[in-house]
């Protein structure tokens, strides 16, 4: 009876999902359709006590991490795991490939005549998760929210936009304040339904949608409860106070009864007639209500394949399980297969231990790690001193010896401010020569000398004397690799006579020190746009990175010329001028550009091509081995 009832419940739950998956329509409708129906809830017909439990999904499923307490809105989300999931639920006009080059995604055609006004024809008949056809108004709304919403993580890279208009149902026009030949590289902005910016999970156009499903994980039947109560299966009722031999028979009678064995012959069955048994079962002291089966259920969060997505038939998965877990659990859950894939910033604050059975896929990013200065300080107000400090930094040593755990090649050296991953990068931008000889000359020009022969340099005080100085180098203590880098830079500079004290600060204290100017140097990081616009680092009142007063309007025309350049020759020329100015004035010292990683079990996934725009870029082309899904 119990097994039969369980099978009926399972069939009731699975059948609606099978029917939903079977009703895919191969031709997209050309007009708005009604909101897609949810599968029937099999629990509507159950009259039973329900207990909600929390447990990880079963093995053999494709499972990703997420945070249910953070928004999944792709424009305002800050949680890194939910952002990763966003590339499965949302799409953008363009997407960056693994080479940081823009590829059209929701765009059928586009053109510009002056790199100021851009017109985009969006793909027709793209169905959103709420059943409506995506229109130009959805695109315009999404871009405006990404540009203006106070919680948008995309605001800074869209600051050059002056106007966004929807010319018709399928045409969007964007006008810029100044020319940018690489503007489309900034349009990897997820598109959401018009008017849904405050939603935690707004409708998008991606291949998967989010759902929460309640499933039965166990059923406890009344007869099981009654049998245990009658025979006191788990309770010893012997009288501990009476130890006389005369009570041996009663001790035997009080013994627990195994349900697989018949009761002992000494039990007086006449004492348990049917009427008494019925009275006991319905005794108010034993049961408050009529006994019912207890259905134990669990709420599962998952992504399910969206029936009307244009890549529906080619997706490698129909369902993706979602699991909440702590950072400390990541390695163990990934090792035992509970988590199927991990996204990681190998140089970030979270330490994920990877072994040789884990397959890495590294991809370039625009995340620049740099050494920042406080130009308001007496010592570092001189650009020659800042340049000299930059020449002491061996970038490749940092990458190979400090940032090589758990994998090598997790960053690329930034000898100039533009990343070598930029597809129009010109190696001629890099300065050649002997850095140590040049460093010594710069310190001499700045007037720094070891006056008292204590192996550390002193600086002129302006009245014919010299004063000793120690540079306060602040670093965020939560990131162990940055802390190690800071100490290595400090030790290196001490060899050249520059005394440095490293101050390790918690994140709030680190930010406070930057904002109040309580530092000489800091180790910073920023995510630039894929057009490599350096305005947040170089121009005043742009972004919030001008902590040390090094920003200057003299960089503005150089930046504008670089962004307006379209041919390789124009980019090489404009980039040379920009990088030369940065080298001479040293407002900051570029150290490296980070690479991010996707880890899977060795050999189970092929054709994956993650990028900065999304870990699941071109997911329809992925091939996932059966061993992972069995």
């Amino acid at each position: 009876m119990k097994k039969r009832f369980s099978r009926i419940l399972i069939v009731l739950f699975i059948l609606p999902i099978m029917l939903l998956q079977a009703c895919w329509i191969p031709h997209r409708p050309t007009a708005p359709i009604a909101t897609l129906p949810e599968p029937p809830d099999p629990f509507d017909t159950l009259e039973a006590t329900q207990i909600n439990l929390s447990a990880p999904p079963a093995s053999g499923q494709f499972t990703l991490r997420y945070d249910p307490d953070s928004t999944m809105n792709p424009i305002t989300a800050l949680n890194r795991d939910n952002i990763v999931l966003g590339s499965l639920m949302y799409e953008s006009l363009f997407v960056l490939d693994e080479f940081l080059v823009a590829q059209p995604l929701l765009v059928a055609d586009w053109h510009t005549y002056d790199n100021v006004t851009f017109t985009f024809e969006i793909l027709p008949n793209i169905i959103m998760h709420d059943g409506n056809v995506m229109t130009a108004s959805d695109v315009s709304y999404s871009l405006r929210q990404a540009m203006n919403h106070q919680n948008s993580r995309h605001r800074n890279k869209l600051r050059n936009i002056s106007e966004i208009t929807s010319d018709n149902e399928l045409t969007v026009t964007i006008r810029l304040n100044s020319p940018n030949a690489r503007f489309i590289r900034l349009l990897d902005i997820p598109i959401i339904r018009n008017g849904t910016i405050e939603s935690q999970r707004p409708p998008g156009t991606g291949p998967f949608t989010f759902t929460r499903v309640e499933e039965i994980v166990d059923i406890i039947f009344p007869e099981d409860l009654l049998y245990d109560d009658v025979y006191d299966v788990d309770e010893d009722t012997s009288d501990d106070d009476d130890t006389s031999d005369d009570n041996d028979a009663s001790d035997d009678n009080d013994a627990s009864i195994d349900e697989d064995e018949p009761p002992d012959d000494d039990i007086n069955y006449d004492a348990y007639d049917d009427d008494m048994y019925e009275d006991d079962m319905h005794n108010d002291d034993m049961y408050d209500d009529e006994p019912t089966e207890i259905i134990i259920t669990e709420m599962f969060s998952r992504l399910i394949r969206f029936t009307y997505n244009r890549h529906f038939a080619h997706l490698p998965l129909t369902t993706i399980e979602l699991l909440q877990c702590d950072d400390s659990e990541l390695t163990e859950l990934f090792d035992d297969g509970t988590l199927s894939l991990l996204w990681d910033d190998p140089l970030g604050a979270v330490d994920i231990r990877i072994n040789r059975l884990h397959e890495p896929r590294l991809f370039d990013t625009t995340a620049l790690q740099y050494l920042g200065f406080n130009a308001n300080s007496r010592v570092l107000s001189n650009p020659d001193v800042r340049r000299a400090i930059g020449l002491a930094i061996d970038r490749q040593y940092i990458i190979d010896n400090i940032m090589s755990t758990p994998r090598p090649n997790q960053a690329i050296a930034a000898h100039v401010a533009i990343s070598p991953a930029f597809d129009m990068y010109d190696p001629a931008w890099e300065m050649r020569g002997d850095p140590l000889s040049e460093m010594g000359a710069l310190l001499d020009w700045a007037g720094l000398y070891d006056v008292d022969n204590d192996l550390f340099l002193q600086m002129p005080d302006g009245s014919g004397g010299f004063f000793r100085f120690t540079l306060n180098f602040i670093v965020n203590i939560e990131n162990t690799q940055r802390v190690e880098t800071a100490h290595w830079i400090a030790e290196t500079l001490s060899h050249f006579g520059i005394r440095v004290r490293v101050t390790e600060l918690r994140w709030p204290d680190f930010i406070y020190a930057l904002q109040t100017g309580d530092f000489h140097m800091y180790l910073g990081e920023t995510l630039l746009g894929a057009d490599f616009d350096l305005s947040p680092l170089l121009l005043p009142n742009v972004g919030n990175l001008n902590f040390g007063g090094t920003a200057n309007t003299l960089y503005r025309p150089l930046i504008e010329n670089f962004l307006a350049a379209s041919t390789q020759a124009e980019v090489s020329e404009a980039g040379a001028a920009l990088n030369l100015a940065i080298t001479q004035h040293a407002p900051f010292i570029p150290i490296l550009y980070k690479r991010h990683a996707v880890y899977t079990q060795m050999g189970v996934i092929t054709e994956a091509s993650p990028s900065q725009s999304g870990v699941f870029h071109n997911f329809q082309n992925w091939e996932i081995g059966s061993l992972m899904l069995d």
Side-chain angles (χ1 to χ4, degrees), residues 21 24 36 64 84-92 95 105-106 126-129 190-191 202-211 302-320 614-622:
Q21 297 294 341
W24 171 59
L36 300 179
L64 301 175
V84 168
L85 293 175
S87 62
L88 290 168
M89 302 168 62
Y90 301 94
E91 297 175 307
S92 49
V95 63
L105 191 58
L106 292 176
I126 299 296
I127 308 301
M128 306 192 79
H129 298 155
I191 304 303
T205 66
F208 287 85
T209 60
F210 178 92
T211 186
R302 56 175 59 118
L303 301 182
I304 58 173
R305 186 170 56 166
F306 180 46
T307 306
Y308 295 98
N309 183 270
R310 59 198 180 284
H311 301 302
F312 174 85
H314 303 289
L315 295 174
L317 298 169
T318 58
T319 304
I320 297 174
V615 164
F616 297 97
H617 170 55
N618 282 335
F619 190 56
Q620 68 274 12
N621 296 329
W622 288 30

Side-chain angles (χ1 to χ4, degrees), residues 78 87 98 120 128 154 197 213 238 362 463 505 550 603 617 621:
L78 295 177
S87 62
E98 58 268 40
F120 303 95
M128 306 192 79
H154 306 280
I197 189 60
V213 179
S238 60
L362 294 170
S463 59
L505 299 173
T550 55
H617 170 55
N621 296 329

Side-chain angles (χ1 to χ4, degrees), residues 52-363:
N52 290 316
L53 300 179
S54 178
S59 60
Q61 299 170 329
F62 195 90
T63 305
L64 301 175
R65 185 193 189 196
Y66 95 118
D67 182 3
D69 298 324
S70 300
T71 181
M72 298 183 75
N73 188 310
I75 293 177
T76 60
L78 295 177
N79 178 272
R80 65 175 192 158
D81 298 300
N82 291 0
I83 291 174
V84 168
L85 293 175
S87 62
L88 290 168
M89 302 168 62
Y90 301 94
E91 297 175 307
S92 49
L93 294 182
F94 292 86
V95 63
L96 296 176
D97 62 19
E98 58 268 40
F99 305 108
L100 300 176
V101 176
Q103 303 295 338
L105 191 58
L106 292 176
V107 172
D109 192 16
W110 65 278
H111 63 270
T112 180
Y113 299 105
D114 53 8
N115 291 326
V116 173
T117 301
F118 293 79
T119 301
F120 303 95
E121 301 294 331
I122 65 175
L123 289 175
N125 304 323
I126 299 296
I127 308 301
M128 306 192 79
H129 298 155
D130 61 354
N132 290 283
V133 174
M134 183 189 71
T135 66
S137 64
D138 298 310
V139 174
S140 298
Y141 173 82
S142 301
L143 296 179
R144 290 193 195 100
Q145 294 301 321
M147 182 175 62
N148 298 320
H149 195 278
Q150 61 179 355
N151 296 325
S152 170
R153 58 188 175 89
H154 306 280
R155 292 178 64 183
N156 200 46
K157 69 179 182 180
L158 300 182
R159 66 186 178 279
N160 192 30
I161 295 178
S162 65
E163 185 181 19
I164 303 173
T165 59
S166 303
D167 303 335
N168 54 51
E169 288 295 300
L170 295 176
T171 305
V172 175
T173 297
I174 302 177
R175 294 177 180 83
L176 307 181
N177 293 308
S178 58
N180 187 345
R182 293 176 293 281
F183 171 65
I184 62 171
R185 303 188 187 205
L186 306 180
L187 295 181
D188 56 342
I189 308 296
I191 304 303
I192 63 175
R193 186 80 173 97
N194 192 349
T196 61
I197 189 60
E198 301 305 325
S199 172
Q200 296 293 300
R201 292 183 292 271
T205 66
F208 287 85
T209 60
F210 178 92
T211 186
R212 284 178 60 82
V213 179
E214 189 174 28
E215 294 183 0
I216 297 175
V217 296
D218 197 7
I219 301 175
I220 301 176
F221 289 87
E223 55 266 32
D224 297 332
L225 294 174
L226 293 174
Y227 192 86
D228 291 349
D229 286 341
V230 170
Y231 291 111
D232 288 327
V233 173
D234 297 321
E235 185 177 355
D236 183 5
T237 60
S238 60
D239 188 352
D240 294 335
D241 295 332
D242 193 346
T243 57
S244 66
D245 294 337
D246 296 334
N247 292 313
D248 287 345
S250 62
D251 288 343
D252 290 340
N253 292 346
D254 288 338
S256 298
I257 297 176
D258 190 316
E259 63 180 3
D260 293 328
E261 298 180 3
D264 193 284
D265 291 339
D266 291 336
I267 294 180
N268 185 1
Y269 289 101
D270 294 334
Y272 291 88
D273 58 35
D274 292 341
D275 292 336
M276 289 184 63
Y277 184 74
E278 289 295 330
D279 290 340
D280 286 342
M281 278 209 323
H282 296 285
N283 192 321
D284 289 341
D285 294 334
M286 181 179 296
Y287 300 99
D288 293 333
D289 299 304
E290 287 291 329
T292 61
E293 61 270 17
I294 298 178
I295 299 176
I296 301 177
T297 66
E298 181 180 339
M299 291 300 299
F300 287 95
S301 296
R302 56 175 59 118
L303 301 182
I304 58 173
R305 186 170 56 166
F306 180 46
T307 306
Y308 295 98
N309 183 270
R310 59 198 180 284
H311 301 302
F312 174 85
H314 303 289
L315 295 174
L317 298 169
T318 58
T319 304
I320 297 174
E321 302 294 335
L322 302 181
L323 175 65
Q324 179 186 12
C325 61
D326 295 331
D327 290 341
S328 60
E329 302 175 285
L330 284 178
T331 300
E332 180 180 354
L333 293 174
F334 185 50
D335 279 342
D336 66 18
T338 301
L339 286 176
S340 306
L341 176 148
L342 285 182
W343 168 89
D344 185 35
D345 172 1
L347 306 184
V350 179
D351 182 21
I352 300 177
R353 300 181 303 279
I354 303 299
N355 62 46
R356 61 184 179 84
L357 298 179
H358 299 156
E359 183 175 2
R361 289 177 174 83
L362 294 170
F363 56 92

Side-chain angles (χ1 to χ4, degrees), residues 362-379:
L362 294 170
F363 56 92
D364 290 308
T365 75
T366 59
L368 170 65
Q369 196 168 108
Y370 64 95
L371 180 65
F373 299 110
N374 187 347
N376 298 317
S377 65
R378 188 169 183 179
V379 178

Side-chain angles (χ1 to χ4, degrees), residues 397-416:
Y397 178 89
I398 293 174
I399 293 172
D400 294 340
N401 295 278
I402 299 177
M403 298 183 171
S404 60
T405 303
R407 299 282 181 179
N409 303 317
Q410 295 175 158
I412 47 179
H415 296 287
V416 295

